[in-house]
Amino acid sequence: IFTISLILGTTITISSNHWIMAWAGLEINTLAILPLISKSHHPRAIEAATKYFLTQAAASTLLLFSSMNNAWYTGQWDITQLTHPTSCLVLTTAISMKLGLVPFHFWFPEVMQGTSLIIGLLLSTAMKFPPITLLYMTSSSLNPTLLTTLAILSVAVGGWMGLNQTQIRKIMAFSSISHLGWMAIVISYNPKLTLLNFYLYTMMTAAVFLTLNSIKALKLPTLLTSWTKSPALNTVLLLTLLSLAGLPPLTGFLPKWFIIQELTKQDMAPAATVISLLSLLSLFFYLRLAYCATITLPPHTTNHVKQWRTNKPVNLSIAILTTLSLALLPMSPM
C-alpha cells in the first residue's frame, strides 16, 4: 500500500498543472514514506521519521504559502506562471528544504542514518524527483543568483562534511547533497541538463546502494572485510563509486561535462571552476569508500574473522545498473 501511495504521490505531482495538486502529491509522498522509514522500530528509525516529517511538513507549508501568495497577486494557480518575486523566493526555499540543499540540509544525513539502505536509496532518489520536477516547471522565473549560491554552498558542504564520516549511509547522504548542487546550478539556464543529471545520478546511486545492500555493509570497517564475500561485485563497486565521483571515461562524467560547458556558455566560468574544484572533495571520500572496498587488505591476524564467499548469483538489477553507470559515456557517441 505504501509503495503504491509513493508512486501515486509522485505521479500526481509530476503531472499536475495546479499548485494545490502538486502540493497534495508531495503530502501523499511524505505520508507514504514515513512508515517505511520507521519500519524497523529502532529508536533511531523513529527519530529519523520524526525529523523527516517535521522538515517535509514545513517545506510543504512554505510551498503552499508561495503558491497562494502568487495566486493572490496574479490571480492564477498555474505552476508554470509563477511570476511574483516573493513567491519565487519562498518557493526556492521550500524546494531546497524538500531536496536538502544547503543551508537546509541538516535533516538529510540524520534521516539516512536512521533507515535501512533500501529506504535510504528511495529517500535520495525517488523522493527528490517531485521537487526537482517542480523546479523544472518553474525554472524560468527563479532567481539564478540565489540558485547558484545555494548550489556552490551545497557542493562545498557536501564535500567538506563527507570527509569525516565513517558511516556509509551518511557518506551517501553528503554525496547526494553535492550532486544536488550540480543540478541546482544549471536549472535556470538549461533545465533539461538538470533532469539528465538527476537520472544518471539516480542510476549510479541505485547501483551503489544495491551493491552495499547485497554485501550488507553499513560502515567502513564492514567494507574492509567484505572483499572475500564476492570479489567481482566489490571490484565493480570500485568503478561505480568512481563513476559517481565523475571521473572521465565513466558515465558520471557526462552530466558534469555538459554542465561545465553550459556554465561557460553563460559567462559563468568562475562558478564552473569553483564547483569543479569543490567536487574534488567528494572525489576524496568516494576514493576512501573504494579504497576500503577493494584496494586495502585488512591485517591477517589470527583472530581475524573472514566472511564466507557467497555462492548466490548477483542480482540482475545490480548488473544492469552497474553496467549502465560505467558504460553510458563511452557508448554515447554511437
Side-chain angles (χ1 to χ4, degrees), residues 183 191-202 254-255 258:
M183 292 174 217
K192 287 197 171 118
L193 274 187
T194 301
L195 283 187
L196 171 79
N197 194 346
F198 180 73
Y199 297 145
L200 293 180
Y201 161 73
T202 302
L254 190 68
F258 282 154

PDB file of all heavy atoms in Angstrom, residues 183 191-202 254-255 258:
ATOM      1  N   MET A 183      22.969  19.947  -9.786  1.00  0.00           N
ATOM      2  CA  MET A 183      21.696  20.084 -10.509  1.00  0.00           C
ATOM      3  C   MET A 183      21.143  21.495 -10.374  1.00  0.00           C
ATOM      4  O   MET A 183      20.572  22.047 -11.323  1.00  0.00           O
ATOM      5  CB  MET A 183      20.680  19.087  -9.969  1.00  0.00           C
ATOM      6  CG  MET A 183      21.039  17.658 -10.274  1.00  0.00           C
ATOM      7  SD  MET A 183      19.920  16.534  -9.464  1.00  0.00           S
ATOM      8  CE  MET A 183      21.017  15.229  -9.007  1.00  0.00           C
ATOM      9  N   PRO A 191      17.313  23.609 -18.001  1.00  0.00           N
ATOM     10  CA  PRO A 191      16.670  22.663 -17.075  1.00  0.00           C
ATOM     11  C   PRO A 191      16.780  21.201 -17.509  1.00  0.00           C
ATOM     12  O   PRO A 191      16.794  20.309 -16.665  1.00  0.00           O
ATOM     13  CB  PRO A 191      15.209  23.119 -17.036  1.00  0.00           C
ATOM     14  CG  PRO A 191      15.094  24.304 -17.888  1.00  0.00           C
ATOM     15  CD  PRO A 191      16.395  24.639 -18.491  1.00  0.00           C
ATOM     16  N   LYS A 192      16.886  20.955 -18.835  1.00  0.00           N
ATOM     17  CA  LYS A 192      16.969  19.565 -19.291  1.00  0.00           C
ATOM     18  C   LYS A 192      18.228  18.890 -18.760  1.00  0.00           C
ATOM     19  O   LYS A 192      18.238  17.691 -18.476  1.00  0.00           O
ATOM     20  CB  LYS A 192      16.957  19.512 -20.817  1.00  0.00           C
ATOM     21  CG  LYS A 192      15.593  19.827 -21.372  1.00  0.00           C
ATOM     22  CD  LYS A 192      15.474  19.378 -22.814  1.00  0.00           C
ATOM     23  CE  LYS A 192      14.033  19.498 -23.260  1.00  0.00           C
ATOM     24  NZ  LYS A 192      13.850  20.436 -24.358  1.00  0.00           N
ATOM     25  N   LEU A 193      19.304  19.689 -18.633  1.00  0.00           N
ATOM     26  CA  LEU A 193      20.549  19.140 -18.095  1.00  0.00           C
ATOM     27  C   LEU A 193      20.367  18.695 -16.650  1.00  0.00           C
ATOM     28  O   LEU A 193      20.949  17.702 -16.218  1.00  0.00           O
ATOM     29  CB  LEU A 193      21.662  20.194 -18.147  1.00  0.00           C
ATOM     30  CG  LEU A 193      22.424  20.281 -19.451  1.00  0.00           C
ATOM     31  CD1 LEU A 193      23.593  21.223 -19.309  1.00  0.00           C
ATOM     32  CD2 LEU A 193      22.923  18.908 -19.826  1.00  0.00           C
ATOM     33  N   THR A 194      19.558  19.463 -15.899  1.00  0.00           N
ATOM     34  CA  THR A 194      19.284  19.072 -14.522  1.00  0.00           C
ATOM     35  C   THR A 194      18.616  17.704 -14.484  1.00  0.00           C
ATOM     36  O   THR A 194      18.992  16.843 -13.691  1.00  0.00           O
ATOM     37  CB  THR A 194      18.383  20.113 -13.849  1.00  0.00           C
ATOM     38  OG1 THR A 194      19.051  21.363 -13.883  1.00  0.00           O
ATOM     39  CG2 THR A 194      18.109  19.750 -12.418  1.00  0.00           C
ATOM     40  N   LEU A 195      17.622  17.524 -15.357  1.00  0.00           N
ATOM     41  CA  LEU A 195      16.936  16.233 -15.381  1.00  0.00           C
ATOM     42  C   LEU A 195      17.884  15.114 -15.794  1.00  0.00           C
ATOM     43  O   LEU A 195      17.883  14.036 -15.192  1.00  0.00           O
ATOM     44  CB  LEU A 195      15.731  16.277 -16.330  1.00  0.00           C
ATOM     45  CG  LEU A 195      14.503  17.001 -15.778  1.00  0.00           C
ATOM     46  CD1 LEU A 195      13.326  16.822 -16.722  1.00  0.00           C
ATOM     47  CD2 LEU A 195      14.130  16.494 -14.406  1.00  0.00           C
ATOM     48  N   LEU A 196      18.717  15.372 -16.802  1.00  0.00           N
ATOM     49  CA  LEU A 196      19.688  14.360 -17.238  1.00  0.00           C
ATOM     50  C   LEU A 196      20.599  13.972 -16.070  1.00  0.00           C
ATOM     51  O   LEU A 196      20.815  12.785 -15.787  1.00  0.00           O
ATOM     52  CB  LEU A 196      20.527  14.902 -18.401  1.00  0.00           C
ATOM     53  CG  LEU A 196      21.712  14.014 -18.788  1.00  0.00           C
ATOM     54  CD1 LEU A 196      21.229  12.840 -19.622  1.00  0.00           C
ATOM     55  CD2 LEU A 196      22.792  14.771 -19.522  1.00  0.00           C
ATOM     56  N   ASN A 197      21.115  15.005 -15.376  1.00  0.00           N
ATOM     57  CA  ASN A 197      21.980  14.773 -14.223  1.00  0.00           C
ATOM     58  C   ASN A 197      21.258  13.945 -13.174  1.00  0.00           C
ATOM     59  O   ASN A 197      21.815  13.003 -12.605  1.00  0.00           O
ATOM     60  CB  ASN A 197      22.394  16.134 -13.641  1.00  0.00           C
ATOM     61  CG  ASN A 197      23.544  15.997 -12.660  1.00  0.00           C
ATOM     62  OD1 ASN A 197      23.872  14.899 -12.213  1.00  0.00           O
ATOM     63  ND2 ASN A 197      24.150  17.101 -12.324  1.00  0.00           N
ATOM     64  N   PHE A 198      19.973  14.281 -12.943  1.00  0.00           N
ATOM     65  CA  PHE A 198      19.215  13.553 -11.925  1.00  0.00           C
ATOM     66  C   PHE A 198      19.037  12.087 -12.303  1.00  0.00           C
ATOM     67  O   PHE A 198      19.213  11.196 -11.468  1.00  0.00           O
ATOM     68  CB  PHE A 198      17.856  14.215 -11.708  1.00  0.00           C
ATOM     69  CG  PHE A 198      17.031  13.500 -10.678  1.00  0.00           C
ATOM     70  CD1 PHE A 198      17.363  13.592  -9.346  1.00  0.00           C
ATOM     71  CD2 PHE A 198      15.956  12.713 -11.046  1.00  0.00           C
ATOM     72  CE1 PHE A 198      16.623  12.918  -8.383  1.00  0.00           C
ATOM     73  CE2 PHE A 198      15.221  12.044 -10.096  1.00  0.00           C
ATOM     74  CZ  PHE A 198      15.553  12.149  -8.763  1.00  0.00           C
ATOM     75  N   TYR A 199      18.705  11.828 -13.568  1.00  0.00           N
ATOM     76  CA  TYR A 199      18.509  10.432 -13.989  1.00  0.00           C
ATOM     77  C   TYR A 199      19.794   9.625 -13.827  1.00  0.00           C
ATOM     78  O   TYR A 199      19.785   8.511 -13.303  1.00  0.00           O
ATOM     79  CB  TYR A 199      18.037  10.355 -15.452  1.00  0.00           C
ATOM     80  CG  TYR A 199      16.699  11.001 -15.700  1.00  0.00           C
ATOM     81  CD1 TYR A 199      16.427  11.659 -16.901  1.00  0.00           C
ATOM     82  CD2 TYR A 199      15.702  10.969 -14.726  1.00  0.00           C
ATOM     83  CE1 TYR A 199      15.198  12.266 -17.114  1.00  0.00           C
ATOM     84  CE2 TYR A 199      14.488  11.576 -14.938  1.00  0.00           C
ATOM     85  CZ  TYR A 199      14.238  12.222 -16.136  1.00  0.00           C
ATOM     86  OH  TYR A 199      13.034  12.818 -16.352  1.00  0.00           O
ATOM     87  N   LEU A 200      20.914  10.203 -14.303  1.00  0.00           N
ATOM     88  CA  LEU A 200      22.180   9.471 -14.219  1.00  0.00           C
ATOM     89  C   LEU A 200      22.599   9.280 -12.764  1.00  0.00           C
ATOM     90  O   LEU A 200      23.083   8.216 -12.381  1.00  0.00           O
ATOM     91  CB  LEU A 200      23.271  10.206 -15.005  1.00  0.00           C
ATOM     92  CG  LEU A 200      23.037  10.237 -16.515  1.00  0.00           C
ATOM     93  CD1 LEU A 200      24.154  10.966 -17.221  1.00  0.00           C
ATOM     94  CD2 LEU A 200      22.917   8.833 -17.072  1.00  0.00           C
ATOM     95  N   TYR A 201      22.372  10.321 -11.942  1.00  0.00           N
ATOM     96  CA  TYR A 201      22.709  10.210 -10.519  1.00  0.00           C
ATOM     97  C   TYR A 201      21.882   9.103  -9.862  1.00  0.00           C
ATOM     98  O   TYR A 201      22.399   8.293  -9.094  1.00  0.00           O
ATOM     99  CB  TYR A 201      22.466  11.552  -9.820  1.00  0.00           C
ATOM    100  CG  TYR A 201      22.334  11.425  -8.331  1.00  0.00           C
ATOM    101  CD1 TYR A 201      23.457  11.168  -7.547  1.00  0.00           C
ATOM    102  CD2 TYR A 201      21.100  11.505  -7.696  1.00  0.00           C
ATOM    103  CE1 TYR A 201      23.344  11.004  -6.181  1.00  0.00           C
ATOM    104  CE2 TYR A 201      20.983  11.347  -6.342  1.00  0.00           C
ATOM    105  CZ  TYR A 201      22.103  11.095  -5.591  1.00  0.00           C
ATOM    106  OH  TYR A 201      21.981  10.910  -4.243  1.00  0.00           O
ATOM    107  N   THR A 202      20.573   9.067 -10.202  1.00  0.00           N
ATOM    108  CA  THR A 202      19.691   8.029  -9.655  1.00  0.00           C
ATOM    109  C   THR A 202      20.209   6.638 -10.009  1.00  0.00           C
ATOM    110  O   THR A 202      20.293   5.747  -9.151  1.00  0.00           O
ATOM    111  CB  THR A 202      18.267   8.193 -10.216  1.00  0.00           C
ATOM    112  OG1 THR A 202      17.808   9.496  -9.887  1.00  0.00           O
ATOM    113  CG2 THR A 202      17.323   7.169  -9.635  1.00  0.00           C
ATOM    114  N   LEU A 254      29.565  12.509 -17.665  1.00  0.00           N
ATOM    115  CA  LEU A 254      28.709  13.093 -18.710  1.00  0.00           C
ATOM    116  C   LEU A 254      27.944  14.337 -18.233  1.00  0.00           C
ATOM    117  O   LEU A 254      28.086  15.409 -18.834  1.00  0.00           O
ATOM    118  CB  LEU A 254      27.759  12.005 -19.225  1.00  0.00           C
ATOM    119  CG  LEU A 254      26.932  12.277 -20.456  1.00  0.00           C
ATOM    120  CD1 LEU A 254      27.818  12.363 -21.671  1.00  0.00           C
ATOM    121  CD2 LEU A 254      25.891  11.187 -20.649  1.00  0.00           C
ATOM    122  N   PRO A 255      27.144  14.256 -17.137  1.00  0.00           N
ATOM    123  CA  PRO A 255      26.424  15.468 -16.714  1.00  0.00           C
ATOM    124  C   PRO A 255      27.362  16.598 -16.298  1.00  0.00           C
ATOM    125  O   PRO A 255      27.096  17.756 -16.617  1.00  0.00           O
ATOM    126  CB  PRO A 255      25.570  14.986 -15.538  1.00  0.00           C
ATOM    127  CG  PRO A 255      26.140  13.721 -15.099  1.00  0.00           C
ATOM    128  CD  PRO A 255      26.790  13.104 -16.293  1.00  0.00           C
ATOM    129  N   PHE A 258      28.630  18.363 -19.441  1.00  0.00           N
ATOM    130  CA  PHE A 258      27.607  19.207 -20.049  1.00  0.00           C
ATOM    131  C   PHE A 258      27.346  20.461 -19.216  1.00  0.00           C
ATOM    132  O   PHE A 258      27.136  21.541 -19.749  1.00  0.00           O
ATOM    133  CB  PHE A 258      26.302  18.417 -20.217  1.00  0.00           C
ATOM    134  CG  PHE A 258      26.324  17.495 -21.395  1.00  0.00           C
ATOM    135  CD1 PHE A 258      25.529  16.354 -21.424  1.00  0.00           C
ATOM    136  CD2 PHE A 258      27.139  17.773 -22.476  1.00  0.00           C
ATOM    137  CE1 PHE A 258      25.560  15.501 -22.521  1.00  0.00           C
ATOM    138  CE2 PHE A 258      27.164  16.929 -23.583  1.00  0.00           C
ATOM    139  CZ  PHE A 258      26.372  15.788 -23.594  1.00  0.00           C
TER     140      PHE A 258
END
